[in-house]
Amino acid sequence: MFEYNVITRRCSKEEEIPYDLLLLADETIEAINRYIHQSDCYVFEHQGQLLGLYVLFPISNHCIEIKNIAVLESAQGKGIGTLLIRDAIQKAKEQSYTTILIGTANTAFKQLYLYQKEGFEIDDIKKNFFIDNYPTPIYEKGILLNHMIMLKKTIEQ
């Protein structure tokens, strides 16, 4: 587990978009560009190095979605992802959202475990999402990504 509190900061619109890190959780820059300019990106830096981030995209006045959450590969497995999810929930709560969503691929077993451990429940399946929205098939550990599993959590105010 990461031994420090995760303190994130919101990126300014003038900052360079951290595509390298975003691409760990999304397949293409084109896909990222569909949401990044209407979202708030929060980064976690430690000792001057960007270790993780998440992106919050407003859906409605009461619902927000974590569109991207990523941890630098060399920093994975230390609990940073869990702390980022908790920080995202707290940021959503501070902004008076009552529902937070997150989606992941049908093959993302570690992510599905983590999100459910943090109180998210499977709410919807977007059938053929990756087939319909990406120009070429995407495989993860030899399994074709096809469906997007959507999870939801009610935020206690």
Side-chain angles (χ1 to χ4, degrees):
M1 189 68 152
F2 199 72
E3 297 181 16
Y4 304 94
N5 289 330
V6 172
I7 299 173
T8 59
R9 69 170 178 82
R10 191 165 85 189
C11 295
S12 73
K13 299 296 180 185
E14 292 76 37
E15 281 184 72
E16 189 173 317
I17 296 171
Y19 285 112
D20 289 349
L21 200 49
L22 291 164
L23 284 166
L24 294 177
D26 214 328
E27 304 303 322
T28 65
I29 289 175
E30 293 77 20
I32 293 166
N33 283 338
R34 287 188 208 125
Y35 61 80
I36 196 69
H37 301 291
Q38 295 81 35
S39 304
D40 287 324
C41 181
Y42 294 86
V43 296
F44 168 59
E45 298 162 316
H46 180 66
Q47 297 178 344
Q49 183 179 18
L50 177 61
L51 295 184
L53 58 70
Y54 62 87
V55 177
L56 290 178
F57 177 82
I59 303 292
S60 69
N61 289 338
H62 64 85
C63 183
I64 197 161
E65 181 178 351
I66 301 172
K67 280 292 214 181
N68 190 311
I69 184 165
V71 176
L72 190 67
E73 288 175 332
S74 63
Q76 291 178 5
K78 298 177 181 173
I80 296 171
T82 298
L83 297 172
L84 288 174
I85 289 170
R86 292 176 183 169
D87 191 75
I89 294 166
Q90 182 60 38
K91 293 283 191 294
K93 181 178 182 175
E94 290 168 4
Q95 296 174 44
S96 300
Y97 288 99
T98 57
T99 304
I100 188 165
L101 306 173
I102 192 164
T104 195
N106 59 291
T107 61
F109 304 115
K110 285 196 292 189
Q111 292 89 334
L112 284 166
Y113 171 78
L114 173 62
Y115 303 153
Q116 290 176 85
K117 187 174 144 196
E118 290 304 312
F120 287 83
E121 295 182 355
I122 295 174
D123 184 61
D124 191 21
I125 299 174
K126 294 182 179 181
K127 296 275 191 178
N128 298 316
F129 178 86
F130 294 97
I131 294 168
D132 294 342
N133 290 287
Y134 292 90
T136 58
I138 303 165
Y139 290 86
E140 189 172 284
K141 297 180 182 174
I143 302 173
L144 176 66
L145 272 68
N146 47 19
H147 310 308
M148 171 79 78
I149 309 295
M150 295 302 299
L151 298 97
K152 177 170 75 171
K153 178 179 175 73
T154 300
I155 301 170
E156 303 294 329
Q157 293 297 322

